[in-house]
Every structure is written in C-alpha cells, then in structure tokens.
Amino acid sequence: MALLTSAEDSSASPAGSHGAHGPRVLLSAREDQLDSTLALRRVAAHLGDLTRTGWAELEPPPVAALVCDDVAATERLLDLGVPVVHLESGHPEPPGADAPPERALGRVHRPGWLPPSGSPAQGARPTGVLAPQRTGRSRTRSGTLLLLSLWSVPQAETEVFAYGALRELAAAALHRTGSCTVVADTGLPLLRSALAEHPGVRVLRAAEADPDALHADAAVFLASPVLGALALAQARRAPLALLPPLGSAQRDLAGRLAEVLPLPSADDPADPALWGLSAAAATGPWHQLDPALDDLRGAQRVARTLRQLALAPL
C-alpha cells in the first residue's frame, strides 16, 4: 500500500497537496499493479482543492480515502474509522481473489462497451472508462512507448517473454522509431537484465513515471491488454497494438476484447505496419464503438464520490 509519486511529472502526481487547503483525503494504490497506479493518478487529477495525504500522515486521520485495489489497506482504514471509496481498477482476477469489504463504497473500472467478466462485488458500481485528464498529444511525437504489466504473471512466463518477444520488440522499436521507453509495474530488475544489450532502451517503474504524459509524446504505443492502457488509447483516439497477454487475467480480457474491437497484435516485430500505421488507421478502431456506451468520465465520477464523502461524511 502506498501513495504514488511521479519522477516524470510531479505536477500530475497524486502525492502532496499542490497548494490545496481543503479536507485531507488519503490516496493509495498498489504500486506493483499498472492498472492501479494509472487509476489513482487519473482520479487524483480531478480532486480540486482536496488536500492529498499518504500513509505517513495518518494523524489526525483523513476525512476520507480512495484506495485502488488494496483490500488490506481498505480494511485498515475502515478499522480506523475512515470512510473509503474502494476502486477495483483492472480486469477481474480469477475467482478466489479477495473481495473488498462491504463497508466501503465500491467502484469498478468497467468500460460500458466491454463484455462483462462475472459480477462486480456486492454494491460496487461500474465507473465507465477511467480516462486521462488531458487527451491531447504532441504534434512532434516520436519513439515507442511500451506499457507492460507483469502483475500476477508467473515468473517463468515473465522470463520467457522478457528474454524473447520483449527483446525483439525493443530492438525493432529502436531501429524503426529511434527510441523506446518501457514502463512496467513490477519485475524491473529482470526487464533491465533482459534489455541490457539494448542500452538505448529506458526502463521505468510505473509508480515513479507518468505513462499518460509519456504516451502523449510517443509515436507508437504497444501495451499489455489491461484496462488502463485501453482507456488511454480510447480517450486519445490513438492507435494501439497489444502485447502478448501474460497471465490469466490478461488472456481473459484479450479474449473479451476481441469480441468487440479489432486491435492489432504486436507479435511480429518485423511487420512494417506495426511501426507505421496508414493514414486511414491513424486513430485506431475506436470510432467503431458506440459513444452512448461510455462517455469517458469514469475518473470524474470516482473523484466526485470521494469529494462528497470528504465534504459530507456518512
């Protein structure tokens, strides 16, 4: 359990008050889960004058808290008497995962256009897409952003991917686009070891970077099939090629995604189409989605719930 900070863009970080003088709210996410860090950052951008705090500042207790995914953190805060908005940020894990306490206000990141995977926890409300606050992109964007989630992926599967497909993709990205930045949630030592033969590749920890800002400057976007990456590309109408799904949750999401949205796969680094999409495909397939199914305001909805809890506690 931790409050996020950002080495890339401190102004966008949830940590700190940024001059705010409103009620104190605690923000916490799983730093080893990409969806969790992305969700917290996007909601925090809409908290206005609320003063954001972390686990080192529990006295006096905050008036409310937003916890992304960390059930133990939510239970601890509830036991301290702090009302909690508990947000499940990613595609559901297989049955058996810990369910959030019913005492929390449950929210679930679920795009309206995506076929559901089971039922949300009792009382949890779907949010719609958790989009980034800023949807513009640089006109002079260049290089490749590779957004990678290794959350709950078996070690053996991670190693095969890192020393195989990832190496090949990074080498091709350097050759085709001039630069490559890999942002991952966990397994950073392994990734750096696997990519050591490509010193031009940057490997950043998701909790210490700003993937949304990095995407704005990147020409090519490759990502694990996770909800946070899909939301980023959808909100910006940007092309996205999916990395091979790793772990059961990603494989399930990739299968459901294929039912409604034809996204290309980044499984052939030698394919020129991966690095230079045609003008007709420059915005990706997002126009095929019914806009009535999702208005991209999920982050604002969660932030509004937290603000209401902070200003008028239950």
Side-chain angles (χ1 to χ4, degrees):
M1 61 183 74
L3 185 74
L4 295 182
T5 58
S6 172
E8 292 290 330
D9 181 5
S10 59
S11 66
S13 170
S17 65
H18 305 305
H21 300 287
R24 292 172 61 250
V25 294
L26 183 142
L27 306 181
S28 182
R30 293 200 60 115
E31 290 192 349
D32 53 356
Q33 185 175 2
L34 177 61
D35 273 329
S36 192
T37 61
L38 291 173
L40 184 64
R41 179 178 297 280
R42 291 171 187 171
V43 174
H46 297 281
L47 292 181
D49 61 352
L50 294 182
T51 301
R52 306 128 197 224
T53 187
W55 288 97
E57 303 171 273
L58 283 177
E59 293 296 338
V63 298
L66 168 65
V67 176
C68 297
D69 305 288
D70 193 334
V71 173
T74 292
E75 291 176 338
R76 178 184 175 190
L77 288 163
L78 290 172
D79 289 344
L80 292 173
V82 179
V84 178
V85 177
H86 184 94
L87 173 61
E88 296 179 64
S89 67
H91 193 65
E93 291 291 323
D98 290 339
E102 294 182 9
R103 293 178 292 160
L105 293 179
R107 298 294 182 267
V108 178
H109 185 193
R110 176 183 291 174
W113 50 264
L114 184 68
S117 176
S119 301
Q122 183 175 355
R125 298 181 183 177
T127 64
V129 168
L130 298 173
Q133 183 182 37
R134 298 173 182 173
T135 56
R137 301 181 72 198
S138 170
R139 293 183 179 180
T140 58
R141 52 188 180 267
S142 63
T144 296
L145 172 63
L146 199 152
L147 199 53
L148 177 62
S149 178
L150 300 177
W151 162 252
S152 75
V153 178
Q155 178 74 9
E157 192 174 351
T158 298
E159 291 179 354
V160 170
F161 172 77
Y163 286 96
L166 180 61
R167 268 185 174 177
E168 296 175 0
L169 284 168
L174 288 174
H175 175 68
R176 296 277 188 171
T177 70
S179 66
C180 179
T181 298
V182 176
V183 179
D185 46 17
T186 189
L188 276 295
L190 170 64
L191 297 179
R192 292 189 174 111
S193 174
L195 296 172
E197 62 185 43
H198 303 302
V201 177
R202 286 197 303 169
V203 180
L204 305 178
R205 185 169 175 252
E208 298 170 349
D210 186 347
D212 293 348
L214 291 168
H215 175 258
D217 293 329
V220 175
F221 184 33
L222 314 178
S224 298
V226 295
L227 292 180
L230 293 172
L232 178 57
Q234 181 187 354
R236 290 177 172 167
R237 301 283 172 168
L240 165 64
L242 295 179
L243 298 170
L246 302 173
S248 57
Q250 290 184 29
R251 282 190 285 273
D252 184 71
L253 176 56
R256 295 177 188 277
L257 185 61
E259 298 176 20
V260 293
L261 198 62
L263 287 171
S265 299
D267 53 7
D268 182 6
D271 183 2
L274 185 61
W275 312 105
L277 293 174
S278 66
T283 59
W286 308 107
H287 64 280
Q288 299 183 30
L289 299 177
D290 182 353
L293 294 177
D294 218 314
D295 60 9
L296 305 178
R297 296 179 183 174
Q300 291 97 313
R301 291 190 182 95
V302 177
R304 187 182 307 119
T305 300
L306 182 62
R307 288 181 60 83
Q308 291 171 343
L309 200 58
L311 297 173
L314 296 176

